[in-house]
Amino acid sequence: MTLVAFDFDGTLSDSEMTVLLGEQCDAAEQMAAITERAMNDEIAYAESLRQRCALLEKLPVSAAEAAFDQVVLRPGAADVLAALDEAGVHTAILTGGFERGVRAALETEGVDVDDLVANRLPVADGALTGGVEGPLIEGTKDRALEDLAAAADVPLSETVAVGDGANDLPMLEVAGLAIGFEPKPAVEPACDVVVKSMADLQAVLVDEGVF
């Protein structure tokens, strides 16, 4: 296995970016409810993301930056990413979340990935517009994983996908090894292995000969 693709919110991080953003404008509970419906496959992910981002209209950029600065990797995630990097394994983050928050969390821990596929929040006049842009709104993670594998010259059969929610299903279904990180009930049947911690994940990757 020479390419490992991670989801971010709920997997590498236990932060939920849209909820952190929502806390800046008293919309966190609405955000969390929409997110839960999406992760349980009760509402289309693209629609859920648009609904959540619409709640952020007119949020000042300074408040958005404050939210992104609160995004952190879950315990042990940096160790897994560092070990994969040291072993020469190609790593990627495929997230419907936002590039700025992912970058903040990675920089805090001093780690990085080879590829980051994420969305963005457009800005006008110093505030969020309430819209969202990026490849993982209508686009799906299976296509993103296929594109990354092709660019890295890695067969899909040699890829690993790690995720937890319904929008991770496409990449879990096409990867050579599908690992669920405390997956939602609708997601678990698509997983080859289920883990509950980064230590468990690292052990699985070692057992599978990834590094």
Side-chain angles (χ1 to χ4, degrees), residues 4-40:
V4 181
F6 296 92
D7 169 51
F8 190 76
D9 291 319
T11 301
L12 283 178
S13 173
D14 57 8
S15 305
E16 173 55 56
M17 272 185 258
T18 54
V19 172
L20 292 174
L21 288 160
E23 288 173 350
Q24 299 289 327
C25 56
D26 297 321
E29 289 187 11
Q30 292 167 274
M31 292 280 194
I34 297 169
T35 298
E36 187 67 16
R37 291 183 66 202
M39 292 300 97
N40 285 320

mmCIF file of all heavy atoms in Angstrom, residues 4-40:
data_model
loop_
_atom_site.group_PDB
_atom_site.id
_atom_site.type_symbol
_atom_site.label_atom_id
_atom_site.label_comp_id
_atom_site.label_asym_id
_atom_site.label_seq_id
_atom_site.Cartn_x
_atom_site.Cartn_y
_atom_site.Cartn_z
ATOM 1 N N VAL A 4 -1.926 6.614 1.039
ATOM 2 C CA VAL A 4 -2.920 6.596 2.104
ATOM 3 C C VAL A 4 -3.677 7.917 2.080
ATOM 4 O O VAL A 4 -3.080 8.996 2.212
ATOM 5 C CB VAL A 4 -2.283 6.386 3.495
ATOM 6 C CG1 VAL A 4 -3.361 6.338 4.571
ATOM 7 C CG2 VAL A 4 -1.454 5.107 3.511
ATOM 8 N N ALA A 5 -4.999 7.842 1.913
ATOM 9 C CA ALA A 5 -5.855 9.029 1.852
ATOM 10 C C ALA A 5 -6.736 9.099 3.098
ATOM 11 O O ALA A 5 -7.420 8.129 3.433
ATOM 12 C CB ALA A 5 -6.716 8.999 0.598
ATOM 13 N N PHE A 6 -6.699 10.237 3.754
ATOM 14 C CA PHE A 6 -7.450 10.445 4.990
ATOM 15 C C PHE A 6 -8.583 11.452 4.780
ATOM 16 O O PHE A 6 -8.404 12.469 4.109
ATOM 17 C CB PHE A 6 -6.544 11.035 6.077
ATOM 18 C CG PHE A 6 -5.419 10.168 6.524
ATOM 19 C CD1 PHE A 6 -4.170 10.255 5.915
ATOM 20 C CD2 PHE A 6 -5.580 9.279 7.582
ATOM 21 C CE1 PHE A 6 -3.105 9.469 6.349
ATOM 22 C CE2 PHE A 6 -4.522 8.496 8.020
ATOM 23 C CZ PHE A 6 -3.282 8.589 7.395
ATOM 24 N N ASP A 7 -9.702 11.189 5.417
ATOM 25 C CA ASP A 7 -10.670 12.237 5.693
ATOM 26 C C ASP A 7 -10.067 13.102 6.798
ATOM 27 O O ASP A 7 -9.119 12.702 7.479
ATOM 28 C CB ASP A 7 -11.981 11.582 6.149
ATOM 29 C CG ASP A 7 -12.968 12.579 6.707
ATOM 30 O OD1 ASP A 7 -13.230 13.589 6.019
ATOM 31 O OD2 ASP A 7 -13.463 12.357 7.826
ATOM 32 N N PHE A 8 -10.642 14.291 6.996
ATOM 33 C CA PHE A 8 -10.100 15.165 8.048
ATOM 34 C C PHE A 8 -11.048 15.275 9.237
ATOM 35 O O PHE A 8 -10.815 14.663 10.269
ATOM 36 C CB PHE A 8 -9.767 16.546 7.483
ATOM 37 C CG PHE A 8 -8.999 17.392 8.466
ATOM 38 C CD1 PHE A 8 -7.654 17.147 8.680
ATOM 39 C CD2 PHE A 8 -9.621 18.399 9.188
ATOM 40 C CE1 PHE A 8 -6.925 17.895 9.606
ATOM 41 C CE2 PHE A 8 -8.921 19.149 10.117
ATOM 42 C CZ PHE A 8 -7.568 18.903 10.324
ATOM 43 N N ASP A 9 -12.148 16.039 9.106
ATOM 44 C CA ASP A 9 -13.085 16.195 10.222
ATOM 45 C C ASP A 9 -13.655 14.833 10.621
ATOM 46 O O ASP A 9 -14.241 14.131 9.801
ATOM 47 C CB ASP A 9 -14.238 17.113 9.830
ATOM 48 C CG ASP A 9 -13.811 18.560 9.640
ATOM 49 O OD1 ASP A 9 -13.002 19.041 10.439
ATOM 50 O OD2 ASP A 9 -14.295 19.200 8.692
ATOM 51 N N GLY A 10 -13.464 14.471 11.891
ATOM 52 C CA GLY A 10 -13.966 13.191 12.371
ATOM 53 C C GLY A 10 -12.974 12.055 12.230
ATOM 54 O O GLY A 10 -13.200 10.974 12.771
ATOM 55 N N THR A 11 -11.880 12.302 11.518
ATOM 56 C CA THR A 11 -10.878 11.250 11.314
ATOM 57 C C THR A 11 -9.526 11.738 11.836
ATOM 58 O O THR A 11 -9.163 11.449 12.966
ATOM 59 C CB THR A 11 -10.804 10.838 9.832
ATOM 60 O OG1 THR A 11 -12.094 10.371 9.415
ATOM 61 C CG2 THR A 11 -9.799 9.711 9.620
ATOM 62 N N LEU A 12 -8.787 12.497 11.039
ATOM 63 C CA LEU A 12 -7.520 13.038 11.539
ATOM 64 C C LEU A 12 -7.740 14.062 12.650
ATOM 65 O O LEU A 12 -6.857 14.274 13.482
ATOM 66 C CB LEU A 12 -6.733 13.695 10.406
ATOM 67 C CG LEU A 12 -6.005 12.756 9.440
ATOM 68 C CD1 LEU A 12 -5.319 13.562 8.347
ATOM 69 C CD2 LEU A 12 -4.991 11.876 10.169
ATOM 70 N N SER A 13 -8.890 14.687 12.629
ATOM 71 C CA SER A 13 -9.218 15.697 13.639
ATOM 72 C C SER A 13 -10.566 15.385 14.258
ATOM 73 O O SER A 13 -11.469 14.903 13.573
ATOM 74 C CB SER A 13 -9.257 17.088 12.986
ATOM 75 O OG SER A 13 -9.719 18.064 13.900
ATOM 76 N N ASP A 14 -10.699 15.680 15.554
ATOM 77 C CA ASP A 14 -12.025 15.579 16.150
ATOM 78 C C ASP A 14 -12.686 16.950 16.222
ATOM 79 O O ASP A 14 -13.745 17.119 16.821
ATOM 80 C CB ASP A 14 -12.003 14.891 17.513
ATOM 81 C CG ASP A 14 -11.086 15.575 18.515
ATOM 82 O OD1 ASP A 14 -10.572 16.677 18.209
ATOM 83 O OD2 ASP A 14 -10.882 15.027 19.605
ATOM 84 N N SER A 15 -12.043 17.928 15.597
ATOM 85 C CA SER A 15 -12.677 19.232 15.419
ATOM 86 C C SER A 15 -13.669 19.130 14.265
ATOM 87 O O SER A 15 -13.467 18.359 13.336
ATOM 88 C CB SER A 15 -11.628 20.304 15.077
ATOM 89 O OG SER A 15 -10.604 20.368 16.039
ATOM 90 N N GLU A 16 -14.717 19.895 14.309
ATOM 91 C CA GLU A 16 -15.654 20.003 13.182
ATOM 92 C C GLU A 16 -15.627 21.460 12.748
ATOM 93 O O GLU A 16 -16.140 22.342 13.434
ATOM 94 C CB GLU A 16 -17.054 19.565 13.603
ATOM 95 C CG GLU A 16 -18.122 19.801 12.555
ATOM 96 C CD GLU A 16 -17.799 19.156 11.213
ATOM 97 O OE1 GLU A 16 -17.565 17.936 11.167
ATOM 98 O OE2 GLU A 16 -17.774 19.901 10.209
ATOM 99 N N MET A 17 -14.982 21.711 11.611
ATOM 100 C CA MET A 17 -14.726 23.089 11.209
ATOM 101 C C MET A 17 -15.979 23.940 11.110
ATOM 102 O O MET A 17 -15.992 25.097 11.526
ATOM 103 C CB MET A 17 -13.973 23.117 9.876
ATOM 104 C CG MET A 17 -12.475 23.051 10.036
ATOM 105 S SD MET A 17 -11.619 23.217 8.463
ATOM 106 C CE MET A 17 -11.198 21.518 8.143
ATOM 107 N N THR A 18 -17.029 23.403 10.520
ATOM 108 C CA THR A 18 -18.226 24.229 10.367
ATOM 109 C C THR A 18 -18.838 24.580 11.719
ATOM 110 O O THR A 18 -19.399 25.665 11.881
ATOM 111 C CB THR A 18 -19.279 23.548 9.468
ATOM 112 O OG1 THR A 18 -19.567 22.245 9.962
ATOM 113 C CG2 THR A 18 -18.802 23.467 8.025
ATOM 114 N N VAL A 19 -18.722 23.686 12.687
ATOM 115 C CA VAL A 19 -19.234 23.988 14.028
ATOM 116 C C VAL A 19 -18.395 25.085 14.685
ATOM 117 O O VAL A 19 -18.936 26.018 15.293
ATOM 118 C CB VAL A 19 -19.269 22.722 14.903
ATOM 119 C CG1 VAL A 19 -19.615 23.070 16.348
ATOM 120 C CG2 VAL A 19 -20.277 21.722 14.347
ATOM 121 N N LEU A 20 -17.071 24.998 14.554
ATOM 122 C CA LEU A 20 -16.199 26.050 15.094
ATOM 123 C C LEU A 20 -16.524 27.398 14.459
ATOM 124 O O LEU A 20 -16.556 28.428 15.140
ATOM 125 C CB LEU A 20 -14.731 25.693 14.869
ATOM 126 C CG LEU A 20 -14.189 24.512 15.658
ATOM 127 C CD1 LEU A 20 -12.773 24.177 15.222
ATOM 128 C CD2 LEU A 20 -14.221 24.793 17.159
ATOM 129 N N LEU A 21 -16.763 27.383 13.154
ATOM 130 C CA LEU A 21 -17.156 28.612 12.474
ATOM 131 C C LEU A 21 -18.520 29.086 12.978
ATOM 132 O O LEU A 21 -18.728 30.280 13.204
ATOM 133 C CB LEU A 21 -17.194 28.386 10.964
ATOM 134 C CG LEU A 21 -15.834 28.234 10.284
ATOM 135 C CD1 LEU A 21 -15.993 27.536 8.929
ATOM 136 C CD2 LEU A 21 -15.166 29.592 10.097
ATOM 137 N N GLY A 22 -19.436 28.140 13.166
ATOM 138 C CA GLY A 22 -20.764 28.483 13.644
ATOM 139 C C GLY A 22 -20.758 29.102 15.025
ATOM 140 O O GLY A 22 -21.608 29.943 15.352
ATOM 141 N N GLU A 23 -19.793 28.703 15.857
ATOM 142 C CA GLU A 23 -19.691 29.270 17.198
ATOM 143 C C GLU A 23 -19.377 30.762 17.152
ATOM 144 O O GLU A 23 -19.644 31.497 18.107
ATOM 145 C CB GLU A 23 -18.623 28.535 18.006
ATOM 146 C CG GLU A 23 -19.046 27.129 18.411
ATOM 147 C CD GLU A 23 -17.938 26.339 19.070
ATOM 148 O OE1 GLU A 23 -16.770 26.805 19.050
ATOM 149 O OE2 GLU A 23 -18.232 25.265 19.609
ATOM 150 N N GLN A 24 -18.801 31.197 16.038
ATOM 151 C CA GLN A 24 -18.462 32.610 15.892
ATOM 152 C C GLN A 24 -19.681 33.464 15.547
ATOM 153 O O GLN A 24 -19.609 34.689 15.588
ATOM 154 C CB GLN A 24 -17.391 32.782 14.808
ATOM 155 C CG GLN A 24 -16.080 32.083 15.092
ATOM 156 C CD GLN A 24 -15.303 32.739 16.213
ATOM 157 O OE1 GLN A 24 -15.356 33.945 16.390
ATOM 158 N NE2 GLN A 24 -14.572 31.946 16.984
ATOM 159 N N CYS A 25 -20.792 32.793 15.188
ATOM 160 C CA CYS A 25 -21.999 33.561 14.819
ATOM 161 C C CYS A 25 -23.265 32.918 15.384
ATOM 162 O O CYS A 25 -24.348 33.028 14.799
ATOM 163 C CB CYS A 25 -22.103 33.721 13.304
ATOM 164 S SG CYS A 25 -22.089 32.187 12.371
ATOM 165 N N ASP A 26 -23.110 32.223 16.515
ATOM 166 C CA ASP A 26 -24.250 31.624 17.233
ATOM 167 C C ASP A 26 -25.064 30.663 16.366
ATOM 168 O O ASP A 26 -26.297 30.594 16.492
ATOM 169 C CB ASP A 26 -25.163 32.718 17.799
ATOM 170 C CG ASP A 26 -24.461 33.595 18.826
ATOM 171 O OD1 ASP A 26 -23.670 33.048 19.621
ATOM 172 O OD2 ASP A 26 -24.682 34.822 18.812
ATOM 173 N N ALA A 27 -24.359 29.913 15.494
ATOM 174 C CA ALA A 27 -25.055 28.946 14.639
ATOM 175 C C ALA A 27 -24.519 27.536 14.827
ATOM 176 O O ALA A 27 -24.798 26.654 14.020
ATOM 177 C CB ALA A 27 -24.942 29.361 13.177
ATOM 178 N N ALA A 28 -23.770 27.313 15.907
ATOM 179 C CA ALA A 28 -23.098 26.028 16.090
ATOM 180 C C ALA A 28 -24.081 24.866 16.187
ATOM 181 O O ALA A 28 -23.845 23.791 15.620
ATOM 182 C CB ALA A 28 -22.199 26.065 17.318
ATOM 183 N N GLU A 29 -25.185 25.038 16.925
ATOM 184 C CA GLU A 29 -26.139 23.933 17.090
ATOM 185 C C GLU A 29 -26.788 23.576 15.760
ATOM 186 O O GLU A 29 -26.981 22.395 15.449
ATOM 187 C CB GLU A 29 -27.201 24.301 18.124
ATOM 188 C CG GLU A 29 -26.668 24.334 19.549
ATOM 189 C CD GLU A 29 -27.765 24.544 20.574
ATOM 190 O OE1 GLU A 29 -28.955 24.457 20.199
ATOM 191 O OE2 GLU A 29 -27.435 24.796 21.746
ATOM 192 N N GLN A 30 -27.123 24.579 14.966
ATOM 193 C CA GLN A 30 -27.696 24.318 13.642
ATOM 194 C C GLN A 30 -26.683 23.594 12.761
ATOM 195 O O GLN A 30 -27.023 22.659 12.037
ATOM 196 C CB GLN A 30 -28.118 25.627 12.973
ATOM 197 C CG GLN A 30 -29.295 26.320 13.639
ATOM 198 C CD GLN A 30 -29.463 27.736 13.134
ATOM 199 O OE1 GLN A 30 -28.835 28.655 13.637
ATOM 200 N NE2 GLN A 30 -30.289 27.897 12.119
ATOM 201 N N MET A 31 -25.429 24.044 12.843
ATOM 202 C CA MET A 31 -24.352 23.407 12.075
ATOM 203 C C MET A 31 -24.223 21.934 12.444
ATOM 204 O O MET A 31 -24.143 21.059 11.576
ATOM 205 C CB MET A 31 -23.014 24.102 12.355
ATOM 206 C CG MET A 31 -22.901 25.505 11.838
ATOM 207 S SD MET A 31 -22.540 25.492 10.080
ATOM 208 C CE MET A 31 -22.052 27.198 9.874
ATOM 209 N N ALA A 32 -24.176 21.660 13.739
ATOM 210 C CA ALA A 32 -23.968 20.291 14.215
ATOM 211 C C ALA A 32 -25.113 19.382 13.777
ATOM 212 O O ALA A 32 -24.892 18.225 13.396
ATOM 213 C CB ALA A 32 -23.828 20.277 15.732
ATOM 214 N N ALA A 33 -26.337 19.893 13.817
ATOM 215 C CA ALA A 33 -27.485 19.081 13.426
ATOM 216 C C ALA A 33 -27.438 18.741 11.943
ATOM 217 O O ALA A 33 -27.707 17.601 11.544
ATOM 218 C CB ALA A 33 -28.778 19.824 13.751
ATOM 219 N N ILE A 34 -27.068 19.706 11.114
ATOM 220 C CA ILE A 34 -26.964 19.461 9.670
ATOM 221 C C ILE A 34 -25.828 18.479 9.390
ATOM 222 O O ILE A 34 -25.966 17.561 8.579
ATOM 223 C CB ILE A 34 -26.743 20.778 8.907
ATOM 224 C CG1 ILE A 34 -27.939 21.714 9.083
ATOM 225 C CG2 ILE A 34 -26.517 20.506 7.420
ATOM 226 C CD1 ILE A 34 -27.696 23.141 8.591
ATOM 227 N N THR A 35 -24.695 18.655 10.071
ATOM 228 C CA THR A 35 -23.555 17.763 9.888
ATOM 229 C C THR A 35 -23.918 16.325 10.234
ATOM 230 O O THR A 35 -23.584 15.389 9.505
ATOM 231 C CB THR A 35 -22.369 18.214 10.768
ATOM 232 O OG1 THR A 35 -21.959 19.523 10.362
ATOM 233 C CG2 THR A 35 -21.190 17.250 10.645
ATOM 234 N N GLU A 36 -24.606 16.138 11.348
ATOM 235 C CA GLU A 36 -24.971 14.786 11.789
ATOM 236 C C GLU A 36 -25.862 14.102 10.759
ATOM 237 O O GLU A 36 -25.690 12.920 10.453
ATOM 238 C CB GLU A 36 -25.677 14.856 13.146
ATOM 239 C CG GLU A 36 -25.948 13.492 13.771
ATOM 240 C CD GLU A 36 -24.692 12.742 14.187
ATOM 241 O OE1 GLU A 36 -23.619 13.373 14.271
ATOM 242 O OE2 GLU A 36 -24.795 11.524 14.417
ATOM 243 N N ARG A 37 -26.802 14.846 10.198
ATOM 244 C CA ARG A 37 -27.677 14.277 9.175
ATOM 245 C C ARG A 37 -26.877 13.855 7.947
ATOM 246 O O ARG A 37 -27.114 12.795 7.368
ATOM 247 C CB ARG A 37 -28.752 15.284 8.774
ATOM 248 C CG ARG A 37 -29.792 15.563 9.848
ATOM 249 C CD ARG A 37 -30.852 16.511 9.332
ATOM 250 N NE ARG A 37 -31.618 15.878 8.260
ATOM 251 C CZ ARG A 37 -32.313 16.547 7.344
ATOM 252 N NH1 ARG A 37 -32.305 17.864 7.347
ATOM 253 N NH2 ARG A 37 -32.994 15.890 6.421
ATOM 254 N N ALA A 38 -25.913 14.678 7.579
ATOM 255 C CA ALA A 38 -25.104 14.356 6.401
ATOM 256 C C ALA A 38 -24.228 13.135 6.648
ATOM 257 O O ALA A 38 -24.112 12.250 5.788
ATOM 258 C CB ALA A 38 -24.243 15.554 6.012
ATOM 259 N N MET A 39 -23.595 13.057 7.810
ATOM 260 C CA MET A 39 -22.688 11.952 8.091
ATOM 261 C C MET A 39 -23.424 10.620 8.216
ATOM 262 O O MET A 39 -22.855 9.551 7.994
ATOM 263 C CB MET A 39 -21.884 12.233 9.366
ATOM 264 C CG MET A 39 -20.892 13.373 9.233
ATOM 265 S SD MET A 39 -19.616 13.120 7.956
ATOM 266 C CE MET A 39 -20.301 14.012 6.553
ATOM 267 N N ASN A 40 -24.706 10.688 8.552
ATOM 268 C CA ASN A 40 -25.528 9.475 8.628
ATOM 269 C C ASN A 40 -26.248 9.183 7.317
ATOM 270 O O ASN A 40 -27.107 8.302 7.257
ATOM 271 C CB ASN A 40 -26.538 9.588 9.768
ATOM 272 C CG ASN A 40 -25.901 9.395 11.125
ATOM 273 O OD1 ASN A 40 -25.035 8.549 11.297
ATOM 274 N ND2 ASN A 40 -26.316 10.196 12.092
#
